[in-house]
Amino acid sequence: GIKYSHANGKAIGYEFAEKGYATASFSSRILDEDITEGKFGVLHDLLAGGMDRVEDASVNPNLEIDINDQGTSDGQMLPLFEEWLEEFDRLKEEEGSPSKPFYAQFYNFNNHYPYLDDHSDFSRLHGDNYITSMKDTDRFLEDLFEFLSSTGRLENTIIVGSSDHGEDPFKKPLARTKVLTSHILHSVGYVYYPRHLMTHEGMEERLRRNTQMMTHTLDIFPTLLSIVHGGNVATDGEYHDHPMSDPNTAADEGCIAGIDLAAVDIPEDRVTIAMNLVSGVSRSLTLWAISTKDFTLYHRTGRTEVYPLQQGRDNDYVLEFGSCTKDVMKLCMTDLSEEKEEYFRRAITSLRSYGSSFVGESVKTSKIVRFFVNILGGESAMEQTADAMAAEYLGSKESRVAFIEGESAMEQTADAMADEHPAAMESRVALIGGESAMEQTADAHPAAVE
């Protein structure tokens, strides 16, 4: 799975190029040796693969390098994008192909540490220039939408954005290399999708609903893949050319796949896993987390404590999302209570039992899941929670019989099953105590039967 995902030729740019799109990539980070062949080499094909044109400060002398000798402000990419679209329009006219679409991607880098520096006292005192960087990116996005609108392109353009992680610069510079927090785990994502371009009934409602669910960075690729393939990655339910975009195939390979946000309703109890398998982080540091849309169970093991974040060398914490994170100075972190232990036992039970369409057996039995199971009381405690959840589910299921179909429909189904499998039906009745026991159970639960 890892070899597949890291191999060249898998970038989304190739997909758009193959479908006849004009393609261009704009990066506010220099695509230097670290990107082309060094420690960040896995990024190069993602940024440049399948592109008709690639723009960054290493190839365009008009871009001013002003961030840690690595890149430019995001705003400097927009004039290059406008220039490319003008050239694109001219070529379309010459070739007589007015309907040819385009795909452009932007690698916004100025929100990466150490951010932009406007050399003001305010920037130096508040989040290491983070505010300056955010303002620049806000202006870039505003100007991008305004340009697309003024040229009549906005209503025919789908815009998808995501970050690879969040930040928490107001408490500690480069905190994400030492700890996890609610702000670090909660990365930004957004989708602008004009209604008339939507290919599925209910797509608008699904996208809006999914914004309130647990989404994952991995969801971005299949969402883009669906766009380039006209709203459906799969053909006849099969992912012929994109096997690792099928969550079940990816699960078989030991990988976690994302989902198409426009085609799949994310369940309320979706659970995701995070760990610090990134560049520049000490091997002696363990940052493991298992998350729902409301809380994260997080374990940190490190050589030193991190006092500004109040995190120790070998501790478990619960991180909170939602309204708490509106205050950037709040920790949104508590110790693991008995109540939250049961909460996360239920989360892991959901992952193991109902998460088959998102993760495979190797994930359910992985080292990180087993680690958290031990923290939460071991397998015996998990079994008790699973039994309680099953009892709750079955109880609610029985009580819905009359509401869904009525007793007559249930009797018809039962008779049909008995005719098809009489031996199996009789053996099951005998196994659970015979007809007398079945009648006693029915008498004890008249409301469920009615």
Side-chain angles (χ1 to χ4, degrees):
I2 293 177
K3 288 182 179 179
Y4 177 94
S5 61
H6 285 188
N8 288 344
K10 302 298 189 298
I12 195 67
Y14 294 105
E15 301 288 338
F16 283 98
E18 186 178 333
K19 288 292 184 179
Y21 284 68
T23 57
S25 177
F26 304 89
S27 172
S28 61
R29 189 204 193 279
I30 297 174
L31 303 188
D32 56 13
E33 290 186 358
D34 280 346
I35 294 288
T36 58
E37 57 190 33
K39 59 183 178 179
F40 305 126
V42 69
L43 292 177
H44 186 250
D45 197 53
L46 301 177
L47 295 172
M51 295 297 162
D52 300 329
R53 180 170 174 175
V54 178
E55 291 280 4
D56 73 289
S58 68
V59 298
N60 193 321
N62 296 323
L63 294 176
E64 179 185 354
I65 299 173
D66 51 15
I67 171 172
N68 198 27
D69 297 327
Q70 289 185 322
T72 70
S73 74
D74 293 341
Q76 293 193 52
M77 294 188 291
L78 195 55
L80 299 175
F81 172 61
E82 295 174 0
E83 175 188 311
W84 175 69
L85 277 185
E86 290 175 1
E87 181 182 347
F88 169 64
D89 287 342
R90 179 178 58 78
L91 290 174
K92 281 201 306 181
E93 187 174 342
E94 292 177 357
E95 296 172 358
S97 54
S99 61
K100 184 174 182 177
F102 73 87
Y103 169 73
Q105 66 181 31
F106 299 91
Y107 183 31
N108 296 58
F109 189 71
N110 68 210
N111 280 324
H112 193 285
Y113 186 85
Y115 319 117
L116 288 179
D117 186 359
D118 68 357
H119 307 292
S120 69
D121 290 338
F122 185 83
S123 282
R124 284 192 288 271
L125 291 174
H126 294 78
D128 292 323
N129 307 314
Y130 189 66
I131 291 177
T132 301
S133 297
M134 291 292 290
K135 288 165 62 178
D136 188 77
T137 299
D138 280 350
R139 281 194 298 269
F140 165 80
L141 290 172
E142 182 180 3
D143 291 344
L144 174 64
F145 273 80
E146 286 184 355
F147 168 72
L148 292 172
S149 178
S150 65
T151 56
R153 292 183 171 91
L154 185 60
E155 286 309 306
N156 288 301
T157 303
I158 299 169
I159 302 173
V160 180
S162 175
S163 63
D164 55 345
H165 53 73
E167 293 275 37
D168 213 342
F170 302 98
K171 302 184 185 78
K172 180 178 174 60
L174 275 176
R176 60 182 170 79
T177 65
K178 303 293 183 184
V179 300
L180 293 180
T181 67
S182 301
H183 289 100
I184 292 170
L185 284 173
H186 195 177
S187 58
V188 67
Y190 53 89
V191 177
Y192 171 80
Y193 211 129
R195 289 184 180 89
H196 73 96
L197 298 179
M198 295 181 179
T199 56
H200 302 311
E201 184 177 352
M203 184 182 286
E204 180 181 1
E205 292 76 13
R206 179 176 296 112
L207 280 169
R208 291 191 181 281
R209 176 189 175 278
N210 282 345
T211 64
Q212 304 303 312
M213 297 296 108
M214 166 62 79
T215 58
H216 197 290
T217 305
L218 294 175
D219 298 335
I220 299 301
F221 184 81
T223 301
L224 289 173
L225 201 59
S226 176
I227 291 170
V228 73
H229 287 276
N232 195 356
V233 180
T235 303
D236 299 327
E238 299 293 334
Y239 294 71
H240 299 291
D241 299 323
H242 311 280
M244 293 300 286
S245 294
D246 177 5
N248 293 314
T249 301
D252 291 340
E253 294 293 327
C255 296
I256 301 175
I259 52 92
D260 177 4
L261 293 171
V264 178
D265 290 314
I266 297 176
E268 287 272 356
D269 58 354
R270 187 183 188 183
V271 177
T272 61
I273 295 172
M275 59 186 71
N276 59 314
L277 293 177
V278 297
S279 57
V281 175
S282 169
R283 293 179 181 272
S284 64
L285 181 66
T286 298
L287 308 175
W288 284 1
I290 185 164
S291 302
T292 69
K293 68 185 182 71
D294 298 313
F295 299 99
T296 286
L297 175 57
Y298 157 52
H299 178 82
R300 179 184 190 273
T301 302
R303 292 178 179 174
T304 59
E305 298 178 2
V306 183
Y307 294 105
L309 281 302
Q310 298 180 24
Q311 294 191 17
R313 290 180 290 180
D314 188 5
N315 298 89
D316 307 311
Y317 305 99
V318 174
L319 306 178
E320 180 182 351
F321 300 105
S323 60
C324 179
T325 58
K326 292 181 180 180
D327 184 342
V328 296
M329 298 310 295
K330 278 189 175 181
L331 292 178
C332 299
M333 182 179 75
T334 62
D335 292 330
L336 180 60
S337 64
E338 290 184 5
E339 178 185 359
K340 284 298 185 287
E341 284 182 359
E342 175 63 12
Y343 177 89
F344 285 107
R345 281 194 291 268
R346 287 172 173 260
I348 292 177
T349 299
S350 295
L351 179 74
R352 286 174 161 181
S353 303
Y354 317 119
S356 58
S357 60
F358 295 101
V359 300
E361 293 303 317
S362 58
V363 174
K364 299 175 187 179
T365 59
S366 62
K367 183 178 180 180
I368 187 171
V369 172
R370 287 185 279 112
F371 176 84
F372 282 120
V373 166
N374 288 334
I375 286 177
L376 297 170
E379 289 294 349
S380 60
M382 292 295 299
E383 289 175 4
Q384 293 177 17
T385 297
D387 289 343
M389 292 175 68
E392 293 168 7
Y393 172 75
L394 290 173
S396 61
K397 185 177 180 180
E398 291 167 355
S399 65
R400 292 174 186 167
V401 167
F403 176 76
I404 295 173
E405 295 180 315
E407 186 60 27
S408 61
M410 293 297 293
E411 288 172 352
Q412 292 172 16
T413 301
D415 292 340
M417 291 174 67
D419 291 338
E420 293 171 3
H421 307 285
M425 294 296 290
E426 289 169 5
S427 64
R428 287 175 186 170
V429 169
L431 180 64
I432 57 178
E435 287 294 348
S436 60
M438 294 290 288
E439 290 169 356
Q440 292 173 18
T441 300
D443 292 341
H445 299 280
V449 174
E450 294 172 0

